[in-house]
Amino acid sequence: AQKITQTQPGMFVQEKEAVTLDCTYDTSDPSYGLFWYKQPSSGEMIFLIYQGSYDQQNATEGRYSLNFQKARKSANLVISASQLGDSAMYFCAMREGAGANSKLTFGKGITLSVRP
Amino acid sequence: DTGVSQNPRHKITKRGQNVTFRCDPISEHNRLYWYRQTLGQGPEFLTYFQNEAQLEKSRLLSDRFSAERPKGSFSTLEIQRTEQGDSAMYLCASSLSGRSGNTIYFGEGSWLTVV
């Protein structure tokens, strides 16, 4: 089974509106971390937001928030007030296990296009 | 700029040639990772180091691939006898060990085209 699933083929959003990018994950480890990265056409992977499996509150970082639903094993990224510069690929990733002792496993990504 | 630095950014090589990529991590980071990304896919883990020790290698890392981090600072990834299937972007990343929330920071990647 895939550990990270991102099934939306491509998303479009109007500038200044909010958009939700879906991510579901699969793990039997009770301790894990979930990450979202943005990859513009230049190729660099830019860290956006992190959610730990034991965190009581949903993570927020500026215009980014993570809708963490543990029972459903979903970790959707919400981008508020979309900007043209948000157009990029977005990847959800998971690190399993306590501590920083393991690698990230990535999903296939979602393309987001922001329309003016 | 004190981020993760990779070079060369782009490399075109003929099949059968050897190529080497270099990664300079964020200076205080003791963990260094190599990932490979092909078009339309997410990055796939290749290997990682803690200081100079190579702690894990993916089965994707065939015998033609070798990575080193001799002094626990910069790292090199060498591909010998390149094949067209090696064409991809090779991403380097670094982090601190210790906490699961320690972020992994990526470089801009090195694009490899094998012709």
Side-chain angles (χ1 to χ4, degrees):
Chain A
Q2 287 190 355
K3 289 189 176 286
I4 296 288
T5 303
Q6 296 180 264
T7 57
Q8 295 161 307
M11 293 288 289
F12 294 88
V13 65
Q14 203 68 32
E15 193 179 7
K16 300 180 185 178
E17 292 186 351
V19 62
T20 298
L21 306 181
D22 295 341
C23 172
T24 58
Y25 60 91
D26 182 31
T27 181
S28 57
D29 199 314
S31 179
Y32 53 89
L34 297 157
F35 299 76
W36 276 91
Y37 286 84
K38 171 185 177 182
Q39 188 176 43
S41 56
S42 61
E44 184 183 2
M45 297 287 283
I46 302 168
F47 167 73
L48 296 178
I49 197 166
Y50 165 80
Q51 179 84 44
S53 59
Y54 295 118
D55 292 345
Q56 295 296 313
Q57 305 215 339
N58 287 345
T60 60
E61 289 284 350
R63 294 186 300 111
Y64 304 108
S65 60
L66 204 150
N67 183 1
F68 182 45
Q69 299 190 38
K70 198 169 182 177
R72 294 184 181 181
K73 293 189 174 179
S74 74
N76 299 339
L77 176 70
V78 180
I79 305 175
S80 63
S82 298
Q83 301 172 355
L84 295 178
D86 293 336
S87 295
M89 284 285 289
Y90 288 81
F91 290 93
C92 179
M94 177 173 63
R95 166 187 266 159
E96 296 174 276
N101 297 324
S102 59
K103 58 190 180 290
L104 289 177
T105 302
F106 285 83
K108 292 188 175 183
I110 302 167
T111 302
L112 176 65
S113 299
V114 181
R115 292 170 169 155
Chain B
D1 183 53
T2 57
V4 179
S5 176
Q6 293 186 245
N7 67 81
R9 292 292 318 283
H10 301 272
K11 179 73 176 178
I12 300 174
T13 191
K14 290 184 178 179
R15 189 174 53 187
Q17 298 293 305
N18 299 344
V19 296
T20 300
F21 299 110
R22 174 178 169 130
C23 172
D24 289 88
I26 294 171
S27 58
E28 64 268 25
H29 285 181
N30 57 348
R31 283 181 176 252
L32 186 146
Y33 306 79
W34 284 99
Y35 283 78
R36 181 174 69 186
Q37 185 179 19
T38 53
L39 283 175
Q41 301 295 318
E44 296 173 294
F45 170 78
L46 292 178
T47 187
Y48 88 88
F49 294 83
Q50 178 157 316
N51 301 314
E52 64 276 10
Q54 189 173 18
L55 296 186
E56 186 175 348
K57 291 196 295 185
S58 164
R59 55 186 169 79
L60 292 175
L61 213 65
S62 75
D63 292 344
R64 297 184 296 105
F65 288 69
S66 63
E68 294 182 345
R69 195 183 183 197
K71 296 182 180 178
S73 56
F74 73 92
S75 174
T76 57
L77 176 68
E78 182 184 18
I79 309 173
Q80 296 182 325
R81 305 181 303 281
T82 51
E83 301 172 356
Q84 287 188 324
D86 297 332
S87 295
M89 181 164 67
Y90 291 85
L91 285 159
C92 178
S94 70
S95 74
L96 285 169
S97 61
R99 289 178 57 243
S100 62
N102 285 344
T103 300
I104 297 180
Y105 293 94
F106 284 80
E108 293 182 313
S110 293
W111 293 90
L112 173 64
T113 302
V114 181
V115 298

